[in-house]
C-alpha cells in the first residue's frame, strides 16, 4: 500500500542531556514536510525551531490559542535565533503531554519564503494554531528543535519527520 | 473525551461536519495525548463553529479500541446516514 506520509527520520530521546533535536540533510525530493512531536521538558518550555542553522532575524509568527478560560492571538516579527510552534500549549515536565504537528510547506523550493503551519496541544494548558514565516528563499535542509536555556527534553519524547509528495 | 462537533439533522441538508484527530504514540506506555480539529459550516448564522481541542487520556495502556459516539457513547443520538469514519495508521519507519 502506498504511503502518503513517508517517514524520513525519527528521534526518541533518552537520558537527561538532550537539549536539541536536529534533522539534517533533509532530502529535497518531497513537496512538504510534517514534523510530529510528542514531548516534555525538564522545565516548562516552548517548542522552538531553527532552520538551516540560521539565527538571523528571519523568523516571525502569529498565534491563535486558548486555555479553557480565555482565548487570544499574538504576533512576533523579525525574531532572531528561532521560530516558535506554540503559545498556550507548551511542554510540561511530565507525561509527554505536548502534541505538536507542524507542516513545512513547499520546503525545498529556492524562490519563496517558507511557511510553517502548526497545531500545538497540551490538555492541561491549552491549544494553539500557529503560522510561522521563515524569510529565506533557501531550501530547508535542516530543522533543529530547541529549548530555552540549558533545559532538556524528557526521556521518551519522540520527534518524527515525514515527507509528503504531491501527485 | 470530546473530539469535536457535528451538524444536526435539522441543519442544512446534505451538510456534514469534519473532524480530524491525531493520536501520536498510541501503543506507548505513557499517557496518550490527542490533537483534534473540528469544523462545522452549514451556511447559516448559528452552525458555524471551529474547534481546536487538546486531549489527554490518562492511561498507560496501548490503544486497541476507539469508540466514537454522537454526544457520548451511551446517548440515544445517532449518526446520520452517509457519515463516514476512516482510521489511518502512520509509521515512523
Amino acid at each position: 500500500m502506498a504511503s502518503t506520509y513517508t517517514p524520513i527520520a525519527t528521534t526518541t530521546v533518552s537520558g537527561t542531556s538532550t537539549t536539541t533535536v536536529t534533522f539534517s540533510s533533509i532530502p529535497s525530493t518531497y513537496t512538504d514536510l510534517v514534523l510530529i512531536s510528542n514531548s516534555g521538558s525538564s522545565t516548562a518550555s516552548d517548542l522552538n525551531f531553527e532552520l538551516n542553522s540560521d539565527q538571523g532575524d528571519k523568523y516571525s509568527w502569529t498565534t491563535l490559542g486558548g486555555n479553557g478560560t480565555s482565548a487570544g492571538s499574538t504576533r512576533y516579527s523579525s525574531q532572531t535565533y528561532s521560530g516558535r510552534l506554540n503559545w498556550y500549549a507548551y511542554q510540561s515536565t511530565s507525561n509527554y503531554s505536548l502534541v505538536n504537528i507542524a507542516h513545512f510547506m513547499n520546503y525545498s523550493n529556492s524562490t519563496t519564503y517558507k511557511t510553517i503551519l502548526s497545531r500545538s496541544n497540551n490538555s492541561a494548558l491549552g491549544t494553539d494554531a500557529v503560522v510561522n514565516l521563515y524569510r529565506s528563499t533557501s531550501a530547508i535542509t535542516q530543522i533543529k528543535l530547541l529549548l530555552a536555556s540549558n533545559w532538556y527534553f524528557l526521556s521518551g519524547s519522540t520527534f518524527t519527520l515525514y515527507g509528503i509528495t504531491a501527485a | 473525551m470530546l473530539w469535536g462537533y457535528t451538524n444536526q439533522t435539522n441543519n442544512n441538508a446534505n451538510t456534514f461536519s469534519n473532524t480530524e484527530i491525531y493520536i501520536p504514540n498510541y501503543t506507548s506506555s505513557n499517557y496518550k495525548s490527542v490533537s483534534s480539529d473540528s469544523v462545522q459550516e452549514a451556511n447559516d448564522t448559528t452552525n458555524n463553529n471551529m474547534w481546536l481541542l487538546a486531549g489527554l487520556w490518562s492511561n498507560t495502556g496501548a490503544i486497541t479500541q476507539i469508540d466514537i459516539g454522537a454526544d457520548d457513547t451511551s446517548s440515544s443520538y445517532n449518526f446520520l446516514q452517509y457519515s463516514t469514519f476512516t482510521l489511518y495508521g502512520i509509521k515512523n519507519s
Side-chain angles (χ1 to χ4, degrees), chain A:
Chain A
M1 179 181 292
S3 299
T4 301
Y5 280 41
T6 302
I8 296 173
T10 189
T11 295
T12 301
V13 173
S14 62
T16 57
S17 61
T18 301
T19 58
T20 62
V21 172
T22 303
F23 296 93
S24 299
S25 303
I26 298 171
S28 62
T29 50
Y30 302 101
T31 306
D32 305 319
L33 299 173
V34 180
L35 176 63
I36 309 291
S37 306
N38 188 195
S39 61
S41 52
S42 56
T43 301
S45 170
D46 293 318
L47 185 60
N48 304 308
F49 69 94
E50 174 194 284
L51 300 176
N52 296 350
S53 299
D54 189 344
Q55 298 187 342
D57 62 345
K58 301 189 179 72
Y59 301 93
S60 58
W61 60 91
T62 301
T63 70
L64 174 67
N67 62 6
T69 300
S70 59
S73 181
T74 188
R75 183 168 183 273
Y76 292 82
S77 59
S78 300
Q79 299 295 295
T80 56
Y81 297 110
S82 67
R84 186 176 301 168
L85 296 174
N86 68 281
W87 185 32
Y88 280 108
Y90 49 84
Q91 297 174 106
S92 300
T93 57
S94 63
N95 295 327
Y96 319 102
S97 47
L98 177 71
V99 175
N100 185 277
I101 304 167
H103 291 250
F104 297 76
M105 312 302 292
N106 204 14
Y107 73 103
S108 65
N109 87 84
S110 57
T111 55
T112 68
Y113 290 170
K114 306 303 182 291
T115 297
I116 300 97
L117 306 175
S118 70
R119 285 275 287 109
S120 196
N121 305 276
N122 183 322
S123 66
L125 295 172
T127 184
D128 307 307
V130 184
V131 56
N132 274 262
L133 180 69
Y134 172 54
R135 295 190 321 284
S136 170
T137 56
S138 300
I140 295 173
T141 59
Q142 181 184 82
I143 300 172
K144 179 188 292 183
L145 298 169
L146 55 153
L147 303 171
S149 188
N150 292 319
W151 306 330
Y152 56 86
F153 290 108
L154 294 183
S155 180
S157 297
T158 62
F159 303 88
T160 303
L161 185 66
Y162 298 91
I164 297 177
T165 304

Side-chain angles (χ1 to χ4, degrees), chain A residues 38 99 119 121 123 158 162, chain B residues 25 33 35-37 53 56 91:
Chain A
N38 188 195
V99 175
R119 285 275 287 109
N121 305 276
S123 66
T158 62
Y162 298 91
Chain B
N25 298 325
S33 297
S35 174
S36 177
D37 296 351
L53 292 110
L56 180 70
K91 299 184 70 173

Side-chain angles (χ1 to χ4, degrees), chain B residues 3 21 66-70 72-73 79 85:
Chain B
W3 298 113
I21 301 158
I66 300 173
D67 292 288
I68 303 172
D72 63 59
T73 57
F79 287 112
F85 303 86

